[in-house]
Amino acid sequence: MRTPSASPPADRAERPRVRIGALVPLSRPGWAEAGRHLLAGLELGVREADDSGGIAGRPLELVVRDTAADPRRAAAAVDELARLGVAALAGEYHSVVARAAAARADALGLPFLCSSAVLDALTERPTPWVARLAPAQSHGWRTYADFLLGAGHRRIAVAAEPSVYWASGARILRDHLAPRGGTVIDLDARTLDPAAVCDAVVDGRATALLLLVGHPEPAVSLVRAVRRDRRLAEVMIGAPAGQPEFAEWAASLGRDGAAVPFLRYLPERLGPLGARVATALRERLGEEPSFVAFEGYDTVAVLAEVLRTRGTDRSGTAGAWPRVAVEGTRGPIRFSRAPGVSVWQWAWAPTQVVDRDPAEPGRFRVLHTG
């Protein structure tokens, strides 16, 4: 499937296209709403790159593959896209899926600019082939832990499903909170139903419950159970991974979904480029763009600049990561080697803790910046 872009001039349309492979979750069990926002940003970036002359006069083409949150499907897509001759890979939202794609891209020598996934160890060993825009999980989740401490939370219950991503997040929270007087109470969301989770929060005297679980279920059922339990009227519900960012959360939960703090990778105010892109994304999506849509746009902006300046040779693209200097929608983008991170990393995108305003769930409140 190829994403349509603006029609290039006739002479440019006849030239060989520069292809970018895009990995996006567009169907269940993937988070399809996040995938839709990511793809909208990628598409807009391609359209604007073509409007600006393409890649040395050649039109840019996005070759999209649906990963459906399946690591094996993503790895197979990387193999296929490599055979199709793409100059680079872009995208992916789910961390475990991105890890599989990054490993395969590293093995094949195919440049991959990861848009949204956050696992620190995206590859098992340092690689020259992979770079990432999203902050590493350790950075974002430590920021979230600082928010919890600042809000007075010292006993935090964590309802988690089995996953490398969730386990990594829980470990980061525990390691950051413990030296500062915080305690993490682990609850297995796979074996405890919502009523049992509520009982465990009460028994553990927790003042906050973090949901490290999938959406819509069991997240929706857990939120509703806590909101209806009078014993937990003062307990804060949190969702560090960002589920409340999307309209599907608000549609499922209404006011129950407000006042659930989450991580968002946007500045407090967008600059001129970000504001212009926000308007275009809003028109494309028919709703407010999430930070994931901006990540998609910035991904193509970086790749287009690298391909223009370094050519379409794959080794040249990978060699350009440390020399990237691109103005993104959320600030200047440069890559470096961050401690504990195995890929070239933008350190760091603006990081906020945000929630939906209970008085107006369509409006976001910035609670903490990191």
Side-chain angles (χ1 to χ4, degrees), residues 326-339:
V326 172
E327 186 63 32
T329 58
R330 298 162 296 149
I333 298 171
R334 292 179 173 83
F335 297 108
S336 61
R337 289 294 192 183

Side-chain angles (χ1 to χ4, degrees), residues 115-328:
S115 304
S116 296
V118 298
L119 272 176
D120 284 42
L122 205 55
T123 54
E124 291 186 1
R125 58 186 176 87
T127 173
W129 296 101
V130 183
R132 174 168 55 192
L133 288 175
Q137 189 178 19
S138 58
H139 173 79
W141 288 51
R142 285 171 189 157
T143 298
Y144 196 92
D146 286 337
F147 157 72
L148 292 172
L149 293 168
H153 297 291
R154 294 296 185 276
R155 294 186 65 80
I156 297 113
V158 173
E161 292 181 306
S163 161
V164 171
Y165 173 66
W166 298 128
S168 173
R171 183 177 61 254
I172 292 164
L173 291 170
R174 185 180 299 105
D175 291 348
H176 195 73
L177 291 168
R180 296 162 178 82
T183 299
V184 172
I185 303 164
D186 293 309
L187 305 177
D188 189 342
R190 177 184 50 181
T191 60
L192 298 175
D193 64 19
V197 168
C198 290
D199 290 341
V201 173
V202 173
D203 293 342
R205 296 178 289 110
T207 63
L209 169 65
L210 306 187
L211 305 180
L212 276 55
V213 298
H215 180 269
E217 291 298 338
V220 169
S221 294
L222 285 167
V223 171
R224 287 177 176 158
V226 173
R227 295 294 194 222
R228 284 154 180 72
D229 193 321
R230 293 183 179 180
R231 301 173 299 170
L232 304 179
E234 302 302 319
V235 169
M236 186 205 83
I237 306 172
Q243 297 96 323
E245 169 83 359
F246 296 96
E248 185 180 355
W249 175 276
S252 299
L253 286 163
R255 293 190 182 277
D256 283 348
V260 178
F262 63 94
L263 283 165
R264 180 170 73 166
Y265 304 119
L266 287 175
E268 192 163 355
R269 287 183 179 83
L270 292 167
L273 172 62
R276 178 182 65 75
V277 170
T279 299
L281 287 169
R282 193 176 299 116
E283 293 174 355
R284 182 175 286 265
L285 287 163
E287 62 188 29
E288 286 299 312
S290 69
F291 68 86
V292 179
F294 290 95
E295 288 174 330
Y297 179 92
D298 286 341
T299 300
V300 174
V302 168
L303 286 176
E305 179 63 20
V306 169
L307 292 169
R308 287 186 188 116
T309 58
R310 303 285 292 188
T312 58
D313 176 73
R314 291 173 177 176
S315 61
T317 298
W321 299 135
R323 287 176 282 279
V324 164
V326 172
E327 186 63 32

Side-chain angles (χ1 to χ4, degrees), residues 95-126:
S95 283
V96 176
V97 178
R99 186 176 64 167
R104 197 71 196 122
D106 178 50
L108 295 173
L110 180 58
F112 175 27
L113 179 51
C114 182
S115 304
S116 296
V118 298
L119 272 176
D120 284 42
L122 205 55
T123 54
E124 291 186 1
R125 58 186 176 87

